[in-house]
Amino acid sequence: MITFAGLNVIIKMAEDRYSGHDYYLIDELLTDEQKLIRQSARDWLKAEVSPIIEDYYEKAEFPNQILPGLASIGAFGPYIPEEYGGAGLDQISYGLLMQELERVDSGVRSTASVQSSLVMYPIYKYGNEDQRKKYLPKLASGEWIGCFGLTEPDYGSNPGGMVTNFKDMGDHYLLNGAKMWISNAPFAQIAVVWAKDETGRIHGLIVERGMEGFSTPEMHGKHSLRASSTGELIFSNVKVPKENLLPNKSGLGAPLGCLDSARFGIAWGAIGAALDCYDSALRYSKERIQFDKPIGAFQLTQKKLAEMITEITKAQLLTFRLGQLRNEGRATTAQISMAKRNNVDMALHVAREARQIHGAMGITNEYSIMRHMANLESVITYEGTHDIHLLITGADITGIPAFK
Ligand code: TGC
Ligand code: FAD
């Protein structure tokens, strides 16, 4: 609602008129199944999420009622085998799903990314059969939501320095420490927590809501990713049963391996945000008249639109090839970093240009541009900052890590 001439004017949420853009006919490279998965996700999101997302963003709340719907389109564990409740899809389908979600809001994609790549993936990959059977089906159906605790107040880009630790007490582990900036933490039933043992080696532990000494206070005051819930994880002498340790991988490489999967999803997701901004700017440029012409008739507007679709198309080609490599198990961490860094930066630029094309209307909540732009400021920071990804590429091509 805005106030105009003393009147409270309700700005009606613009109808979701999005249609995809495929300048290089990449759809011809997709299977019928991949296209169907994308279309079902798009239809459901238009009907159930687009009409409410601005409102939840403004309230700084995640719309919990969409969890069963997210599960029904396969957004929770798209590539986890069906025997554990996952959708058993390939990596390009996973990418397309993330793109559709982020086309509507990065926070919605975030919730699905965390659940799939940072909670279900480590349980599937590093857990034992009992853990897989206990947790994965409930996570796939959205009955349980999980979160991933790696970042600490003093260790963000450098997670290897973490101080959260656990001691072996014979019949259980005793966990102490704190995590910060954790997506889904305030309402998650379980947390996959990374902590050091008495020798300093990093392990993953599944911590369940209700364990004594475990709390998840919500973080407030975000100007970005407002429709996603973010919190702390606080562990004060939490007794964690021994069967909750993920047994099949330890060391910093274990959480970083999960990040590969989430960063891949973000590389696809960011294109969704960019496509939504471009789609809106293109339509607006044909409808908005100034100096007796649609603003799309001016060369300066066309330059903006032409550069947007060029950058989007390059990003689409990058992720499609990356998806093929991931399907073949050949994508490297550095290739994923390049795509995450490039595509999120590209999306931010597209959002800023789209905002200019919308003039003053671009700052209102009648359009999704400003929300995408603000969201992307989180996306360019989490899962490795823009500069950390550049250093990952630098280390890969020179063989000389420059992190320390
Ligand atoms: P470094 O010495 O390079 O590596 C330590 C060990 O890990 C191995 N490794 C990997 N293994 C698997 N997958 C990967 N992607 C791996 N990257 C590295 C590496 O081979 C080594 O193994 P070993 O056996 O030799 O010990 O580690 P470093 O301490 O120098 O740090 C490197 C750096 C800076 C690249 C890394 O720590 C990093 O990526 N930092 C960024 C932190 C980050 O991305 N945090 C994300 C937190 S989660 C999050 O943001 C969720 S947002 C979710 C949402 O809402 O969508
Ligand atoms: P810092 O590491 O303090 O970096 C600050 C600046 O210094 C950055 O510009 C960075 O690029 C630069 N810098 C740092 N080191 C170097 C270097 N070696 N060389 C050059 N520049 C450097 N974490 C989780 O574990 N789980 C989650 O679910 C999660 N969700 C998040 C949700 C949101 C909304 C946000 C904003 C963050 C979330 N994070 C989560 C945390 C996120 O991963 C970290 O914010 C990120 O890794 C960066 O850490 P930092 O914020 O401490 O920045």
Side-chain angles (χ1 to χ4, degrees):
M1 189 164 73
I2 59 165
T3 304
F4 175 70
L7 297 169
N8 285 332
V9 180
I10 295 185
I11 293 188
K12 195 173 145 289
M13 263 296 297
E15 188 196 342
D16 184 346
R17 294 157 73 195
Y18 174 79
S19 63
H21 298 275
D22 180 24
Y23 204 73
Y24 258 50
L25 312 183
I26 301 169
D27 273 9
E28 290 178 9
L29 306 174
L30 301 179
T31 64
D32 288 344
E33 189 192 38
Q34 288 163 344
K35 284 187 264 195
L36 188 66
I37 285 157
R38 181 179 62 190
Q39 194 58 49
S40 319
R42 188 173 298 173
D43 292 346
W44 176 77
L45 284 156
K46 277 193 176 199
E48 303 297 332
V49 187
S50 296
I52 60 168
I53 195 66
E54 281 292 349
D55 197 27
Y56 277 83
Y57 188 88
E58 227 162 87
K59 290 193 288 189
E61 227 179 279
F62 178 79
N64 277 299
Q65 70 274 26
I66 70 171
L67 291 173
L70 282 170
S72 75
I73 60 165
F76 295 153
Y79 52 84
I80 298 291
E82 287 169 281
E83 63 177 303
Y84 301 112
L89 300 173
D90 78 310
Q91 291 290 314
I92 291 175
S93 301
Y94 162 46
L96 289 168
L97 273 170
M98 295 303 113
Q99 194 164 104
E100 290 306 310
L101 297 181
E102 193 143 3
R103 203 281 296 173
V104 173
D105 191 81
S106 303
V108 175
R109 196 268 308 134
S110 249
T111 294
S113 287
V114 170
Q115 182 87 337
S116 302
S117 291
L118 300 182
V119 180
M120 296 177 73
Y121 177 85
I123 294 174
Y124 173 64
K125 207 74 184 168
Y126 312 143
N128 58 33
E129 201 51 24
D130 287 346
Q131 292 168 337
R132 289 184 193 133
K133 285 191 176 135
K134 176 173 177 188
Y135 297 107
L136 293 179
K138 286 199 165 73
L139 291 163
S141 69
E143 186 185 339
W144 281 359
I145 290 297
C147 65
F148 176 88
L150 181 63
T151 305
E152 299 190 355
D154 293 331
Y155 298 95
S157 297
N158 175 26
M162 69 173 69
V163 292
T164 298
N165 65 87
F166 64 96
K167 290 192 171 69
D168 189 336
M169 306 302 281
D171 62 341
H172 64 271
Y173 298 121
L174 201 62
L175 178 66
N176 278 289
K179 301 285 176 181
M180 196 178 177
W181 292 112
I182 308 304
S183 302
N184 301 352
F187 60 87
Q189 276 78 19
I190 64 164
V192 170
V193 176
W194 301 94
K196 285 181 174 166
D197 68 12
E198 283 141 295
T199 72
R201 187 140 184 98
I202 294 170
H203 296 264
L205 296 161
I206 303 169
V207 180
E208 297 183 23
R209 186 171 293 285
M211 287 181 176
E212 211 178 317
F214 175 42
S215 58
T216 61
E218 181 153 11
M219 296 172 68
H220 297 285
K222 287 183 297 168
H223 283 296
S224 167
L225 222 73
R226 287 172 63 80
S228 161
S229 177
T230 315
E232 297 171 64
L233 302 175
I234 296 174
F235 316 105
S236 173
N237 288 322
V238 181
K239 286 183 181 174
V240 181
K242 285 201 149 172
E243 65 262 25
N244 284 26
L245 182 122
L246 298 175
N248 296 334
K249 190 161 167 95
S250 63
L252 185 58
L256 292 182
C258 308
L259 298 185
D260 275 1
S261 177
R263 290 167 178 173
F264 170 79
I266 292 173
W268 284 82
I271 300 174
L275 279 167
D276 198 47
C277 294
Y278 169 74
D279 184 69
S280 185
L282 181 62
R283 192 175 306 110
Y284 193 83
S285 76
K286 293 179 194 168
E287 291 171 358
R288 174 70 176 166
I289 308 291
Q290 288 295 290
F291 301 98
D292 304 322
K293 283 183 187 170
I295 57 170
F298 300 119
Q299 287 183 352
L300 288 175
T301 308
Q302 290 193 5
K303 176 175 187 286
K304 289 185 177 69
L305 291 166
E307 286 178 352
M308 282 182 202
I309 193 63
T310 304
E311 292 309 312
I312 288 170
T313 303
K314 282 152 70 178
Q316 285 172 322
L317 289 165
L318 192 65
T319 40
F320 182 79
R321 177 62 184 146
L322 190 64
Q324 287 180 321
L325 290 174
R326 251 182 102 73
N327 276 342
E328 294 164 10
R330 294 198 292 143
T332 65
T333 293
Q335 287 169 337
I336 295 168
S337 277
M338 182 185 281
K340 190 268 184 185
R341 179 175 186 273
N342 180 78
N343 293 7
V344 178
D345 191 50
M346 175 282 293
L348 252 176
H349 278 94
V350 167
R352 287 177 187 141
E353 293 291 81
R355 220 289 304 146
Q356 297 269 10
I357 289 177
H358 286 77
M361 287 312 290
I363 71 153
T364 70
N365 65 2
E366 194 171 347
Y367 294 90
S368 49
I369 318 286
M370 201 70 187
R371 178 165 50 80
H372 282 308
M373 199 195 304
N375 281 340
L376 289 162
E377 290 292 341
S378 286
V379 182
I380 204 164
T381 292
Y382 67 35
E383 298 274 6
T385 67
H386 189 63
D387 286 345
I388 287 294
H389 288 296
L390 177 118
L391 293 176
I392 292 174
T393 306
D396 191 52
I397 58 180
T398 63
I400 311 167
F403 305 109
K404 298 172 188 167

